[in-house]
Every structure is written in C-alpha cells, then in structure tokens.
Amino acid sequence: MITPTGQALKVSLDGRFHELKEKWRSEISSADIVRDPTLPMAEARVWALEKLVDLASRGFAVAGFPNHPGTVAESVAHFEMLALGDLSLNIKSGVQHGLFGGAITNLGTSWHHERFIDGVVDCSILGCFAMTELGHGSDVQSVETTITYVPETDEYEVNSPTPTSRKAYIGNAGKDGRMAVVFGQLVAAGENQGVHAILMDIRDEDGNDAPGVETGDQGHKGGLLGVDNGTLFFDHVRVPRRMLLNRYGGVNDEGVYESEIASKNARFFTMLGTLVRGRICVGSAAAMATRKALTIATRYALQRTQFNRPGAGGEITLLDYQTHQRKLLPNIARAYASGFAINVVSEQLQRVNDTRGSDPTAARELETRAAGLKATLTRWTNDTIQLCREACGGAGYMTENGLTLLRQDADVFATFEGDNTVLMQLVAKALLLDYKKSWGELDMIGTARSGAKLLGDRFMERTTAGTTIGRLISNATLKPEAQKIKARGWHLEMFEFRERHVVEGLARRMREAGKSDGQAAFEAVNDCQSHMLEAARAHTDRVILEAFVEAISGVRDEYVRSLLIRVCDLYALSTIEDNRAWFMEHHAFDSGRSKAVTDAVDGLCKDLRGKAQELVEGLGVPEKWLNSAMLEPTREEEAAASAA
Amino acid sequence: MITPTGQALKVSLDGRFHELKEKWRSEISSADIVRDPTLPMAEARVWALEKLVDLASRGFAVAGFPNHPGTVAESVAHFEMLALGDLSLNIKSGVQHGLFGGAITNLGTSWHHERFIDGVVDCSILGCFAMTELGHGSDVQSVETTITYVPETDEYEVNSPTPTSRKAYIGNAGKDGRMAVVFGQLVAAGENQGVHAILMDIRDEDGNDAPGVETGDQGHKGGLLGVDNGTLFFDHVRVPRRMLLNRYGGVNDEGVYESEIASKNARFFTMLGTLVRGRICVGSAAAMATRKALTIATRYALQRTQFNRPGAGGEITLLDYQTHQRKLLPNIARAYASGFAINVVSEQLQRVNDTRGSDPTAARELETRAAGLKATLTRWTNDTIQLCREACGGAGYMTENGLTLLRQDADVFATFEGDNTVLMQLVAKALLLDYKKSWGELDMIGTARSGAKLLGDRFMERTTAGTTIGRLISNATLKPEAQKIKARGWHLEMFEFRERHVVEGLARRMREAGKSDGQAAFEAVNDCQSHMLEAARAHTDRVILEAFVEAISGVRDEYVRSLLIRVCDLYALSTIEDNRAWFMEHHAFDSGRSKAVTDAVDGLCKDLRGKAQELVEGLGVPEKWLNSAMLEPTREEEAAASAA
C-alpha cells in the first residue's frame, strides 16, 4: 500500500487529471504497456503496433480529436501515462495520434476530419508526419519538397527535387504507414506560397509503395526500436486538390491560391504553432520517464547497503550517504517542479485551443513555454536517467533492471520535435520580442539599469498568481539577511533578477549587433548565442518555479503542504546553486551567501532523505510498470502475492 | 591524406608508443575490430571471441605477460587502440588478458605462470576475474566467498555461503569462461587471513559446469553485448592447494598460512594495488572512445549546414555556430589533455612494475592517479559521447552513424573497475594522507592559512618537470593583470590553489570529524563527502594540466607547439570556467576576471575552429574504423576509391 502521504502527494502532482491517471493505473496492466527490453527490432515494432491498437480500442491514449471524446489537455495526460509504460509505444502513439492525427485535426478542415479522423483514432489508417528532410531538420522553412498545383487536372503534384529533399527519420514511414501528411513548398501559378501540408497515400493495403512513392526503412537506432522510422521520396506524385490540409491556405475552387493570412511568414508560423502540443508532449513524456528512473534508483538506494557502519553495526544504506542524497533528492524535487509546470502549460494549451487563435499573445506565450520546457526537461531527463543508472552500479546496467532501455529510448527526446539548442534560441528570440514591446524603440543603454525593476514587471508575464508572488517577494525583502535563504520570496527574486538581467543584457547586445550588415551581423549575433541560451534557461527556470509556488498554494493538507514547501526549497536552492557563478558575477549575492546556498541544499537533502519513500510514491509510477528485477517487493506486492 | 599538422599532432599525442599505434592503424582492418552495431547479443558474443582469438594470434592486444613479448605500458597502448575499434571486443580482451591474465601474472608465482600464461595469451584457456558479488561490489574487503584450507587433503574448499555471496557481473562467466580467478576470504586453521584469489575450473571443455560450480548467464545489458557477463556460485568445491595465487600469502607445504605482509589490511591493499593497470586501461579506453565520438561529430559539423547565412549566401556550417563550437572544441582540448595524462601514468605504471614494489610511495601515487583519472575520464566520456550524439541531431541517433553503440558500450565504464564516486573518495583519502604526512600532527586551524604556500609545495607532488612549472608560475606573477588570463603560470597557479585550498579545508573538517565516535563520527565524515569529491577533482585536474604542459615542452615543431599551446589554453581556461563559482567563493578571482575567463574560452573556440580538421586528425582515429555512414568521404577515401 502506498502511504497516505505518498497518496496525497500523488493527487497533488496529478493535478486536474488525477481521475484519468488513476484509471490508467488501475486498468492498464504491465502486459498492456511494458515492453520486454530484450525484444529485437522487428519484434519490438510488431509489439508496439499491437499494443497501440489495443489501447486505442479501449479508449486509452487517444483524445483531442474532433467529434471524439477527450480534450486536448487530456491527450497530454494520456501521453504522460503511456510514457511511464514504454517510450517506443509512447512515440508510436505520438506519431499516429499526436503528429499525424494532430496535423489533420489542426491543419485540415471538417472535410478532412469527417473522412479520416475515425481511421486515425482506431489505427485503421496508419500515418506519418513527414516534415523533416535529410537536408533540413531544424530549418523547416527551407524544406525542398514541392507541392505544385496543376490546374489542368485540378491536382497537386508532390515532388522530391533533390537527394537532400528526401523525407527522413519519419515515424511509421519505415514499415507501418499507409498515408502521410507531407510538408512542402506550395507552388501555385508559379508562385511559392511557403510550406503547406498535404495528406496522401504512401503505401497500398498490402504495404507496397504507392505509385511514384519510394519508402525506405532506416532500421536500427540508438533506442525506440519499436518505432519504424524511415524515408519518403516522391517522383511527381499526383494528389487530388481536396487532400491539401488547407485550413490556413490553399488553391480554391477557382484554381487560385487563397489564405486568410497574407504574410507567408506569418502563415508558416501560424501553421506550425497549431502543432505546439507535440513539444509539450515530448517534454512531459521525458519528465515521466525520469520519474520512473528516479523511482527505481531511489527504491534501490533504500534497500541496498554497502560498507560497514562504524559503531552501530550493520551496513550503511546507500541513501544515507551524502553523495547519494545529492544525486537523487534534488532531482526528485525537480521531478515535482517539472510536473507542476507541465500541468500549467497543459491548461494553457487547452485555453489556447478553446479560443481557436483569438488570443495570439496567449498562443505565443504557450509556444515559448512549450519550447523552453521541452528543451529543459529533455536535457534533465538525459542527465538524470544516466545518473540513476550509475547510482545503481552494475545492477543498473543489467537490462532486466529497467534503466538502460529508458536511457536509450529517452536519448532522442533531446532532438526530435526541435533540437534543444535551436529551441532555446527560439525562446530567447521570443523574450527579446516581449522585451522590445515593453520598452519600445528607446535606446536602452544607460537607462535600462535604473528602470530595471519597473521594466521587469512590465515585460515579465508571471505564470500564475502574480499577486501571491509579489507578496512573497515583498515579505522576503523585510526579512533579516540570515532568514532570506529559506524565504520563497528571495528565491523568486533571484530567479526574476536573473531572467531580467540576462534578457536586458542580451537586448543591448542584439541591438548593437543589429547595426551591422551581412557577415558582420551574422558574426555579432552568433557571438550572442551562449547569452541567448542563458536567457532561455533563466526564463524557463522561473516559469517552473512559479508553477511550483502556485501548486503549493492549492494544497489544503497542512502536512503535505509543508513537505512540498521543503521540496520546492530544494528545487529553488539547487537551481540557484547550479547558477551561483552567474549570481556572483552579477553581484546578486556574495561568496558567503553562495556557500550558504550549498549548505542549505546539503541540509535539505539530509532532511528529505527520511521522506524519500513517500516522495517517490508521490511521483505516481505504479509498481507494476517499473519492470525492475532488482527491486525487492513492497508491502503492496507482498500482500498481492500472499492473497494469490 | 592526413594533413602534415594533423600527422604531427598525432605523433605528439601517441607519445612513446607511436610506432606500436601506427602498426595497429596500418595492419588492422575494420573487419578485424569494428562490430556491426546491429548484431544481436548471441552473435555479438561469438564475434567478439572470434576477433579476440584472431588478434591474439597476430600479436595484437597482448603484452605485459611473463616470458612473452611486450611491456606492461605497451599493454595499455594496445588496449587504447582496441578501444577505437569496438568496446565489447576491448572489454572481452580486458577480461581475458587484463584481468584474468593480469591476476595470474601479478598474484601468482612462476609455478602458475609456467602452467597457465601461454593458454591465457592464446585464449586456449578462457577465464574470469571473479571478484564482485551480488552483495558486495565497491566493498571488496567484505566479499563473503570463502577459500578454506582443508589440511586432511591439502586442498582449499571454495564456497558461496549465502545468496548474496554469488559472484555477479563477471565477464566470461556467462558462456565462454573455463577457469576463474576467484576472490574470497582465506580461512586457515580457523583464522580469516583476508581476501585472496584462487585459480579454479568453472566449466569443462564442453562448457558444462564443473562439479559444485553453478554458472549463470546475466544476459542482456545496456551495452557491451559482446561480453558474456554472468554469475558463479560455489558449493564446497575442492581445489588443489597450489592453485592459490599465493605471491602475497597462502598455506605453505607445512600446512601453515604464511605471508611476507603481516597486516591483513596491508596485504589486501598490496594485492589490489598490483591490479592497478585495470583502472588505467578503463580510463584510457574511455578516453579513446570519446576521441572517436569527437572525430565523428566534428567531421559532421564541418560538412553539415543549416539555415541561410545572411548576406553571404549559402547555408551556415554547423561548426561556425558559437553554440556548436562550445560543444565540441573544449572537449577536443580535453581529449588532448587526457591523452597526455594517460601517457604519463602509463610510464609511471611501467616504472612501478619494473621496480616490483620497491617504491611504495610511487606505487601509491600511481594508484591515486589511476583512480582519479578513471573516474574523471569516464565521467567526461559519458557526457561527451552523449553531447556528440546530440550535436549530430537525428542522424546521430541512427545506429549506422556510429555514435549510439559507443554511448551504450561506454556507459558502464563509470561503474566497473570501481564506482566513480567511490574512487574519488579513495583519491581524497590518499590526498589527506599525503597532507598529514607533510603537516604532521600539528593543529592546523589558524596556522594553515599563513603557511599555505609552503605547505602546498610540500604536500603536492608535481607530476612532471617541477622546475618548468615553478618557472611558469613565477613568470605569471610578474605579468600585468590584463595578460594573466593567457599566462600558463596563472592557470597552473589557479589549479594548484584550488587543490591546496580544498584539501586543507577538508583536512580541517576531517580532523574535527575524527573527534567524534560511532554514529556521530559517521555523520561528521559523511557530511564531508561532497568536499572529498571536490578535492579529488581538483587534484586530478591539476595532474592532467601538468601532463599537458610537460608534453608541450617536448614538442620541437614550432607551429605544432604553438597550436598545442592554444589547445592547452582552452583546456585550462574551460576547466577554470567550469569551476569559476568555487574560485569566486574563495576569492581566487573576482567577478570581472570570471567573465573574462568565459570571454577567453569563447575567443579560443572561435580561434581554433579553423583548425578543427587538423585537431581531430591528431586524435589518431583511423577513418576506416569510424563506421559512420553519414560522413562524406575524405580525400584519402576518395583516392582509395578511384585507385580501386
């Protein structure tokens, strides 16, 4: 049995979708979603498809479709739970329902919805999201595939004009896909209207390539062996005009291109923006995989002993070691922080979706947060699963103990749905834009510093209850120096100061860079890249902390609330610790405070070590899905065994 | 063709064993040592054994055995080259020749050498190094297996008394091993003499378990699929007395235990000390694997473009981006630094080996450096191969491009031959011992600070040419502030200051901790663990930098020398940058200098970007072993193709 504290933590972290998540936990067995990690590629693929179809038939893992039950935010919750089972199956679902189905939903019209969504949902139409090409991945706007309107037959002709225009790394393209949403440059009447997407056949029912289509199987990868990634090449393939996903533009019945959005650039980013759910899902799935790894490593650290305990007799439990606490506890705190942040963004997604583009500011903020969280969480995931593997020693390297497959599968989350380095630059650009809007065209040099506070409040949209945060910061200002380190207001102030200062500095440098032309301009902007990443990190860290603060304010149980406050302290202070060089460089605090932060993190680790069991229970990973042979049975498992 | 600069760099980095390494490069084909990364486990195991036998028959990968050609230092060089081919094959060789053969060589006597070494070398006797048990890995001294002398029959009885005493994770135990060196508590006449090793059969020629032995196959792992790790369990197995590897102790002809080393503890650490080569090999092999990954990622970054270059036309080469330079170039610098450090340690190994234990100080220093380098390099390897994978985007995740297998195989290098966290604590303990020897039993508080410089010089043995380093530091002291940042003497001063200060602080804290008893003492020492890791890192960083400085002093070619000086600048400054929070906390420099260090690293990355091709050529990884489909053919390969 999970402890009452663990249960209460889980409810709090599950957020709005606690019921949906409990339904997964009670109805989905390990046979439904946990893969045998030794399955070779061919068998892993068969397994993933079979399980996907089964889940869909039972109403799991599918939501957010027109005329089907389940909201968009619920689709994120489904995706999160599936990530706790198996990441290949998770990504197979992401390709079929999230990307392929999502593109038809968001870029298509009711004509497409009526004809294709049922088949997408029940997997009778398996499809691909064919955007990336061999030559262009991050730079989607430069894809070379063409979708040319042919007035003579009222069709589009899809073509791959060069070797580098071959679609690559496309999920479902290696074997299972029958259709694809293909992105290419729409050319009508000789004019390029920018990137659009068209729905087309790629294979017949027997799996043979459709006429003019050449599919390729990219075979073995570093992980995700259950997903059949492949290539697509088009040799002047004709597709009926109605198959263009033309919600934002296309050739009309008169044979003329039309779009509500005049600017090609704006049109492109609007279309891409509707696909934001993918980034939220990737970030949240990575975070869930990390929860699973942390659960395995922490449970192992609570059962495993090594070296004699001086005096007391017996051996020392791994989690009693300071170094081991330092490995696991700050990451457990980060797991809570990121879970709360995903909950907030998932609600933002629902709001933006409900208002169908009527609030472009909200949509842009959502895209920025989705990008920042995706990059930040997947980086953390890669580092943390590896750390968990190492924390379990040689046992951690045995496939049967559940960590190495997680590590291999989660790896590419840093790359797909946007390379992390590129995404963080997108975040920084958005921050600069916000900054510029607040500050206008005034020359910032000189005046920026004095107006920093005011300016900060203007350009920095606080995630959540702005008044709560303002009050916390004001309270902290009044506290004696010695107490500040544990004052939430001081943490918030530090996170805000860092974001504001980094963005302001970046704005000044980019303004200077903007005065150059051509190669010199490239060089000047290029020199700011590290600064851009720093701005994006600072922003995302602040968004995460504010989500945590907001979540705590909603917890009624006093004990759980006090526990979450300590977990939040650990998240905030370990993040400040990670960035303490920056804070000292910018005189936010001195060397004494910096060392005090490290001491405080040590103290919190020691303090929370006694609650490690409850804290990992609260991460909400069912024991039956852990798939880790080395873990000793818990009371729950023992009870089940003795009852049987 | 490799450029003249690349060739000169390679010669310099190859060090003393350039000829041996060139022999590998010219005579060993990719078919000899490069594994098809998609091979399933069973086939990978067959492949690894077959290739190992073949290499051994051709005189590759075997050295350092009594009455066989090749020195111990050469065995490290062989191991390094094999790591560039395939890590499974590398570890298979490490198990057979390094661990199994090394144990017989170092713990056995000529009696054992005459009977078994030929079979070890030519692989007709395949064997295991059976030390780790399920219950005890890091704490080897507590293994539970017993080796009990039975006077009645003049035999030893090897027994596994508990479930946790089962030998686990043992290479060659899963399938191929026929014999094993088994570590256990030697009990004679009722007295436990501590851990000893005995050579015994575990399977017959047909692969059936020997009587009383139960072997187990641990199956699928996170990588190294070509190595058959397994378990061994002994049910009162009798072994002739002569089979004990009794160089340091055993029961004599009179049936009485005898050893030259009276203290059980000293005996244990002496025996373990003779196995130091394993740690050097693991660290160096990991560094070689990282060189391979850096070569692949850098060559890709030089051919791959993305996003239009403003003004100039065309697209931007990945390595022109600041963020990409920041990912790869400091790590290329670290690859050089670690290569030079391994060269130094390999020579130390040879000297210690030649003097057969006559210089315990040198032996202890070697063990400390081997532990520090193993942990530091394998940490860097895990981080850097992952970074290289991500730097190649989706292509990096495709198995055919050579990075994911490297990543999976290198993972466990952080664990075997000593868990990194445990090893770094060993390093710290050795530093404390050195410190105590220099400082004696005086109370350090108060006096330590004023005597720091003197003290530092006394306890800190400089790796190499002490006078060169002393002169560089003196020169730097005389330089104007603005020039210091590029002065090698300033780098050395910072590295030394950090080590000295951290060790002194640790010594004070440990002294305080020593005043407590039992549980309180454990708590007090436990609170110092992070501080211990910091001390070990600081020490190892300093050892690596000094090896780099010494290597440069041996380079004659002025141009290559000037290039290596810049590479060393990048290594030194990026290491200072990584630790700049510590330096500011301890007032070694202020915030302005800290930012200047970051600017200098940026500048060096930009400066060395133009030499990236030559720098990776110098890493000495033959193109034919890269096994990366995405790399465009170089001039060398094109020439070979057109000649064919």
Side-chain angles (χ1 to χ4, degrees):
Chain A
M1 287 298 285
I2 188 170
T3 61
T5 302
Q7 177 64 23
L9 287 166
K10 187 173 73 172
V11 170
S12 157
L13 193 54
D14 277 351
R16 281 177 60 202
F17 299 111
H18 176 61
E19 262 182 57
L20 187 154
K21 290 175 179 175
E22 285 291 271
K23 194 168 144 71
W24 273 82
R25 293 183 185 113
S26 63
E27 295 183 21
I28 300 296
S29 70
S30 64
D32 288 330
I33 56 167
V34 178
R35 174 168 45 129
D36 170 359
T38 67
L39 280 188
M41 185 178 77
E43 293 166 45
R45 287 177 172 188
V46 170
W47 177 88
L49 179 57
E50 188 184 302
K51 297 302 168 187
L52 179 65
V53 173
D54 175 62
L55 285 173
S57 76
R58 295 159 65 188
F60 287 94
V62 279
F65 290 106
N67 312 316
H68 283 261
T71 64
V72 170
E74 280 172 5
S75 74
V76 177
H78 279 287
F79 200 74
E80 285 186 281
M81 294 310 288
L82 190 48
L84 289 179
D86 179 74
L87 293 176
S88 268
L89 177 52
N90 186 237
I91 294 307
K92 189 82 179 172
S93 158
V95 165
Q96 171 67 16
H97 295 117
L99 294 174
F100 176 61
I104 298 173
T105 301
N106 291 298
L107 303 179
T109 63
S110 56
W111 188 87
H112 305 98
H113 299 166
E114 285 158 17
R115 278 157 192 79
F116 299 105
I117 290 296
D118 286 353
V120 169
V121 168
D122 69 13
C123 301
S124 59
I125 304 174
L126 292 169
C128 311
F129 180 84
M131 181 183 269
T132 295
E133 299 176 356
L134 277 180
H136 293 90
S138 294
D139 183 10
V140 174
Q141 237 172 331
S142 297
V143 294
E144 297 172 86
T145 300
T146 51
I147 304 172
T148 308
Y149 181 62
V150 184
E152 291 74 13
T153 56
D154 196 29
E155 292 172 313
Y156 288 102
E157 186 176 277
V158 179
N159 192 45
S160 308
T162 64
T164 50
S165 69
R166 189 181 296 268
K167 298 291 178 186
Y169 318 119
I170 310 299
N172 264 349
K175 181 175 141 280
D176 292 331
R178 296 295 178 262
M179 296 191 83
V181 170
V182 176
F183 289 80
Q185 308 289 343
L186 190 150
V187 180
E191 192 180 352
N192 184 339
Q193 298 289 351
V195 175
H196 288 63
I198 192 164
L199 181 61
M200 60 188 288
D201 294 326
I202 58 164
R203 288 191 181 90
D204 66 19
E205 283 186 12
D206 298 328
N208 304 306
D209 287 355
V213 178
E214 184 186 307
T215 67
D217 188 338
Q218 290 186 289
H220 204 278
K221 304 187 298 293
L224 298 182
L225 293 184
V227 184
D228 54 319
N229 294 79
T231 59
L232 298 172
F233 194 85
F234 307 102
D235 182 9
H236 302 88
V237 183
R238 293 294 178 94
V239 183
R241 178 168 61 87
R242 296 299 300 263
M243 298 296 277
L244 190 82
L245 300 176
N246 59 338
R247 177 167 156 200
Y248 294 101
V251 171
N252 63 17
D253 290 343
E254 283 72 49
V256 178
Y257 181 84
E258 68 177 4
S259 168
E260 289 170 17
I261 308 168
S263 150
K264 288 177 197 172
N265 212 40
R267 203 186 295 149
F268 173 74
F269 285 107
T270 301
M271 288 168 69
L272 238 60
T274 65
L275 308 174
V276 66
R277 182 181 59 179
R279 281 185 186 153
I280 297 169
C281 282
V282 165
S284 62
M288 295 305 263
T290 316
R291 288 193 202 178
K292 189 171 175 180
L294 284 166
T295 303
I296 293 172
T298 304
R299 280 187 51 179
Y300 185 72
L302 287 167
Q303 76 183 39
R304 175 78 177 174
T305 62
Q306 199 74 177
F307 292 108
N308 291 318
R309 185 182 286 272
E315 292 191 345
I316 300 158
T317 305
L318 288 197
L319 201 56
D320 284 342
Y321 287 110
Q322 184 187 47
T323 47
H324 221 80
Q325 291 168 8
R326 270 286 191 162
K327 286 176 189 173
L328 297 178
L329 287 162
N331 284 306
I332 291 173
R334 190 169 286 268
Y336 276 86
S338 54
F340 292 127
I342 289 290
N343 290 350
V344 168
V345 170
S346 167
E347 289 182 32
Q348 288 183 300
L349 170 69
Q350 188 64 52
R351 280 199 300 276
V352 167
N353 195 71
D354 290 345
T355 55
R356 305 286 285 178
S358 65
D359 184 351
T361 306
R364 203 164 40 75
E365 182 183 288
L366 176 66
E367 285 171 44
T368 304
R369 288 183 179 179
L373 281 175
K374 186 273 182 187
T376 302
L377 297 186
T378 58
R379 167 83 277 123
W380 168 66
T381 290
N382 268 291
D383 293 342
T384 306
I385 299 179
Q386 178 64 25
L387 181 150
C388 289
R389 200 297 289 155
E390 293 177 28
C392 296
Y397 198 57
M398 300 295 113
T399 302
E400 65 175 11
N401 290 326
L403 290 165
T404 57
L405 184 71
L406 267 183
R407 178 74 194 77
Q408 290 166 16
D409 288 347
D411 176 348
V412 78
F413 282 56
T415 297
F416 60 27
E417 279 291 323
D419 170 86
N420 281 355
T421 304
V422 175
L423 287 186
M424 289 304 250
Q425 290 176 66
L426 285 186
V427 172
K429 282 177 193 162
L431 296 174
L432 286 169
L433 206 64
D434 287 348
Y435 186 88
K436 202 170 167 185
K437 273 193 193 152
S438 304
W439 197 245
E441 292 301 325
L442 291 174
D443 185 353
M444 290 164 291
I445 297 162
T447 52
R449 282 169 199 283
S450 60
K453 185 70 184 78
L454 175 68
L455 181 67
D457 290 346
R458 279 172 60 203
F459 98 86
M460 203 180 287
E461 294 289 334
R462 284 177 177 142
T463 318
T464 50
T467 51
T468 310
I469 287 161
R471 183 173 46 75
L472 285 165
I473 293 180
S474 303
N475 288 352
T477 314
L478 303 171
K479 290 204 174 173
E481 268 306 301
Q483 290 175 29
K484 273 196 178 174
I485 212 153
K486 286 282 180 76
R488 183 74 65 239
W490 183 71
H491 307 155
L492 289 159
E493 196 186 343
M494 287 298 101
F495 277 58
E496 289 199 359
F497 172 78
R498 176 168 158 242
E499 176 177 357
R500 184 185 305 135
H501 199 297
V502 174
V503 174
E504 279 173 6
L506 180 62
R508 272 198 303 281
R509 289 183 64 185
M510 293 293 270
R511 198 179 160 81
E512 279 304 300
K515 293 177 183 165
S516 315
D517 293 318
Q519 178 64 14
F522 166 71
E523 292 290 345
V525 171
N526 193 35
D527 286 347
C528 296
Q529 275 199 325
S530 299
H531 201 150
M532 291 177 84
L533 301 190
E534 181 70 26
R537 279 191 293 265
H539 172 74
T540 310
D541 287 346
R542 199 254 309 167
V543 165
I544 293 172
L545 178 61
E546 292 189 359
F548 204 148
V549 171
E550 177 64 10
I552 289 173
S553 75
V555 175
R556 300 257 165 76
D557 181 301
E558 272 309 309
Y559 177 71
V560 170
R561 190 184 160 92
S562 74
L563 190 52
L564 282 175
I565 285 173
R566 285 184 285 163
V567 174
C568 188
D569 284 347
L570 183 52
Y571 167 70
L573 286 168
S574 60
T575 304
I576 291 173
E577 185 190 32
D578 290 345
N579 295 285
R580 68 197 197 282
W582 186 90
F583 284 111
M584 284 187 279
E585 282 172 348
H586 297 85
H587 309 290
F589 52 68
D590 64 12
S591 59
R593 172 64 59 94
S594 182
K595 291 185 205 170
V597 167
T598 293
D599 290 344
V601 172
D602 286 342
L604 282 162
C605 286
K606 197 190 262 194
D607 176 32
L608 289 171
R609 180 257 174 270
K611 289 290 156 200
Q613 172 78 34
E614 289 85 344
L615 288 173
V616 296
E617 284 172 357
L619 296 179
V621 190
E623 295 189 13
K624 62 184 175 184
W625 300 347
L626 288 177
N627 203 25
S628 182
M630 69 187 173
L631 296 183
E632 290 165 2
T634 61
R635 283 164 294 173
E636 183 178 5
E637 289 162 341
E638 280 175 352
S642 66
Chain B
M1 288 297 289
I2 188 170
T3 60
T5 301
Q7 177 65 23
L9 287 167
K10 186 173 73 174
V11 170
S12 156
L13 193 54
D14 278 351
R16 281 177 61 203
F17 298 111
H18 175 61
E19 263 183 56
L20 187 154
K21 290 175 179 175
E22 285 293 89
K23 194 169 146 69
W24 272 83
R25 293 183 184 112
S26 63
E27 295 182 23
I28 300 295
S29 71
S30 64
D32 288 330
I33 56 168
V34 179
R35 174 168 44 129
D36 170 359
T38 66
L39 281 187
M41 185 178 76
E43 292 165 46
R45 288 176 170 189
V46 170
W47 177 88
L49 179 57
E50 187 184 304
K51 296 302 169 187
L52 179 65
V53 172
D54 176 62
L55 285 172
S57 75
R58 294 159 66 188
F60 286 95
V62 278
F65 289 106
N67 310 316
H68 282 261
T71 64
V72 171
E74 280 172 4
S75 75
V76 178
H78 278 288
F79 200 75
E80 286 186 282
M81 295 310 288
L82 190 49
L84 289 178
D86 178 74
L87 293 177
S88 268
L89 177 52
N90 186 238
I91 295 306
K92 189 83 177 171
S93 159
V95 166
Q96 171 67 15
H97 296 117
L99 294 175
F100 177 61
I104 298 173
T105 301
N106 291 298
L107 302 179
T109 63
S110 55
W111 188 88
H112 305 98
H113 299 166
E114 285 158 18
R115 277 155 193 79
F116 300 104
I117 289 296
D118 286 355
V120 169
V121 168
D122 69 12
C123 300
S124 58
I125 304 174
L126 291 168
C128 311
F129 180 84
M131 181 182 269
T132 295
E133 298 176 356
L134 277 179
H136 293 91
S138 294
D139 184 10
V140 174
Q141 239 173 328
S142 298
V143 293
E144 297 172 86
T145 301
T146 51
I147 304 172
T148 308
Y149 181 62
V150 184
E152 292 73 15
T153 56
D154 195 29
E155 291 173 313
Y156 287 103
E157 187 175 275
V158 179
N159 191 45
S160 307
T162 65
T164 50
S165 69
R166 190 181 294 268
K167 298 290 179 186
Y169 318 118
I170 310 297
N172 263 348
K175 180 175 141 280
D176 293 330
R178 296 295 179 262
M179 296 191 82
V181 170
V182 176
F183 289 80
Q185 308 289 344
L186 191 150
V187 179
E191 190 180 352
N192 184 339
Q193 298 290 348
V195 175
H196 287 63
I198 192 164
L199 183 62
M200 60 188 288
D201 294 326
I202 57 165
R203 287 191 182 90
D204 66 20
E205 283 186 14
D206 299 329
N208 304 307
D209 286 356
V213 178
E214 183 185 309
T215 67
D217 188 338
Q218 289 186 289
H220 204 278
K221 304 188 300 292
L224 298 181
L225 293 184
V227 184
D228 53 320
N229 293 79
T231 59
L232 297 172
F233 194 85
F234 307 102
D235 182 9
H236 302 87
V237 183
R238 294 294 177 94
V239 183
R241 178 168 61 87
R242 295 299 300 262
M243 297 297 277
L244 190 83
L245 299 175
N246 61 338
R247 178 168 155 198
Y248 293 101
V251 170
N252 63 17
D253 291 343
E254 283 71 49
V256 178
Y257 181 84
E258 68 177 3
S259 168
E260 291 170 14
I261 308 168
S263 150
K264 287 177 198 173
N265 212 40
R267 204 186 295 149
F268 173 75
F269 285 108
T270 301
M271 288 168 69
L272 238 60
T274 65
L275 308 175
V276 65
R277 182 180 59 179
R279 281 187 186 150
I280 297 170
C281 282
V282 165
S284 63
M288 295 305 262
T290 316
R291 288 193 202 178
K292 190 172 175 179
L294 284 166
T295 303
I296 293 171
T298 305
R299 281 186 52 179
Y300 185 71
L302 287 167
Q303 77 184 37
R304 175 77 178 175
T305 63
Q306 199 74 176
F307 292 107
N308 292 317
R309 184 181 286 275
E315 292 191 344
I316 299 159
T317 304
L318 289 197
L319 201 55
D320 284 342
Y321 287 110
Q322 184 188 47
T323 47
H324 221 80
Q325 292 168 9
R326 270 286 191 161
K327 287 176 189 172
L328 297 179
L329 287 161
N331 284 306
I332 292 173
R334 190 167 287 267
Y336 276 86
S338 53
F340 292 128
I342 289 290
N343 289 351
V344 168
V345 170
S346 167
E347 291 182 31
Q348 288 183 299
L349 170 68
Q350 187 65 52
R351 280 198 300 277
V352 167
N353 194 72
D354 291 345
T355 55
R356 305 285 287 177
S358 64
D359 184 350
T361 306
R364 201 164 42 75
E365 181 183 289
L366 176 66
E367 285 171 46
T368 304
R369 288 183 179 180
L373 281 174
K374 187 273 181 187
T376 302
L377 297 186
T378 58
R379 169 80 277 125
W380 168 65
T381 290
N382 268 292
D383 293 341
T384 307
I385 299 179
Q386 178 63 25
L387 181 150
C388 289
R389 200 297 289 155
E390 293 177 30
C392 296
Y397 198 57
M398 300 294 115
T399 301
E400 65 174 12
N401 291 326
L403 290 165
T404 56
L405 184 71
L406 267 182
R407 178 75 193 78
Q408 291 167 16
D409 288 349
D411 177 349
V412 78
F413 282 55
T415 297
F416 61 27
E417 279 291 324
D419 170 86
N420 282 354
T421 303
V422 175
L423 287 186
M424 288 305 249
Q425 291 177 65
L426 285 186
V427 172
K429 282 177 191 160
L431 296 174
L432 285 169
L433 206 64
D434 288 348
Y435 186 88
K436 202 171 167 185
K437 272 193 193 152
S438 304
W439 197 245
E441 292 302 325
L442 292 174
D443 183 356
M444 290 163 293
I445 297 162
T447 51
R449 281 170 197 282
S450 60
K453 184 73 182 77
L454 175 68
L455 181 68
D457 290 347
R458 278 172 62 204
F459 98 87
M460 200 182 288
E461 295 288 333
R462 283 177 176 140
T463 319
T464 51
T467 51
T468 311
I469 286 161
R471 183 173 45 74
L472 285 165
I473 293 180
S474 303
N475 286 352
T477 313
L478 303 173
K479 291 204 176 175
E481 269 306 301
Q483 291 176 27
K484 273 197 178 173
I485 212 155
K486 287 284 181 74
R488 183 74 65 238
W490 183 72
H491 307 156
L492 289 160
E493 198 186 341
M494 287 299 101
F495 277 58
E496 288 198 359
F497 172 78
R498 177 168 157 241
E499 177 177 356
R500 184 184 304 136
H501 199 297
V502 175
V503 174
E504 278 172 8
L506 180 61
R508 271 197 304 280
R509 290 184 64 185
M510 293 293 270
R511 198 179 159 82
E512 279 303 301
K515 293 177 183 164
S516 315
D517 294 319
Q519 179 63 14
F522 167 71
E523 291 292 346
V525 171
N526 194 34
D527 286 347
C528 296
Q529 275 199 325
S530 299
H531 201 150
M532 291 178 83
L533 301 189
E534 182 68 26
R537 279 192 293 264
H539 171 75
T540 310
D541 286 347
R542 199 254 309 167
V543 165
I544 293 173
L545 178 61
E546 292 190 359
F548 205 149
V549 171
E550 177 65 10
I552 289 174
S553 75
V555 175
R556 302 256 164 77
D557 181 302
E558 271 310 308
Y559 177 71
V560 170
R561 191 184 159 93
S562 74
L563 189 53
L564 282 175
I565 285 173
R566 284 184 285 163
V567 174
C568 187
D569 285 347
L570 183 52
Y571 167 70
L573 287 167
S574 60
T575 304
I576 291 173
E577 186 190 32
D578 289 344
N579 295 286
R580 68 197 198 281
W582 185 91
F583 284 111
M584 284 186 281
E585 281 171 349
H586 298 85
H587 309 290
F589 52 66
D590 64 12
S591 60
R593 172 64 59 91
S594 181
K595 291 186 205 170
V597 167
T598 293
D599 290 344
V601 172
D602 287 341
L604 281 162
C605 286
K606 197 190 262 194
D607 176 33
L608 288 170
R609 180 257 173 270
K611 289 290 155 198
Q613 171 78 35
E614 289 85 345
L615 288 172
V616 295
E617 285 172 358
L619 295 179
V621 190
E623 295 188 12
K624 61 184 176 184
W625 300 349
L626 288 178
N627 203 25
S628 181
M630 70 187 171
L631 297 182
E632 289 165 4
T634 60
R635 283 165 293 174
E636 184 178 2
E637 288 162 341
E638 281 178 349
S642 67

